[in-house]
Amino acid sequence: LYGDRVRHAATLAEAIEGSDGILIMTAWPEFRDVAALVAQLTSPPLVVDGRRLIDKTSVPRYAGIGLPSTASAAAQSAPKKAE
């Protein structure tokens, strides 16, 4: 149906390598390894955690469903410029 637009990976590490984002939608135990795998990458993808399975401080770019992302939280806490 999707032809070459969908790539299947044999392992979680293979699926994460080169990705722009990771969407966690299941609480399967192997997905707890995402943080350790992301830590090994030179360009870490955004992790969107739909199950709040991993610690949001364990990856550089995290967005939990129902939580502000680390990027937007940092922007909100940054000092505002005087006008």
Side-chain angles (χ1 to χ4, degrees):
L1 175 68
Y2 294 105
D4 292 338
R5 296 182 300 180
V6 174
R7 180 178 57 111
H8 296 274
T11 66
L12 183 57
E14 183 183 324
I16 289 173
E17 186 178 339
S19 67
D20 294 320
I22 300 167
L23 180 60
I24 300 173
M25 298 301 295
T26 181
W28 292 351
E30 57 265 34
F31 289 100
R32 293 186 185 279
D33 297 337
V34 166
L37 294 170
V38 167
Q40 298 173 14
L41 302 175
T42 55
S43 180
L46 171 64
V47 177
V48 179
D49 189 353
R51 303 294 297 179
R52 296 193 190 169
L53 190 65
I54 62 172
D55 177 3
K56 65 182 177 182
T57 63
S58 66
V59 292
R61 299 174 55 214
Y62 178 91
I65 295 179
L67 298 172
S69 68
T70 52
S72 65
Q76 290 174 2
S77 65
K80 298 194 187 270
K81 293 181 181 179
E83 293 183 17

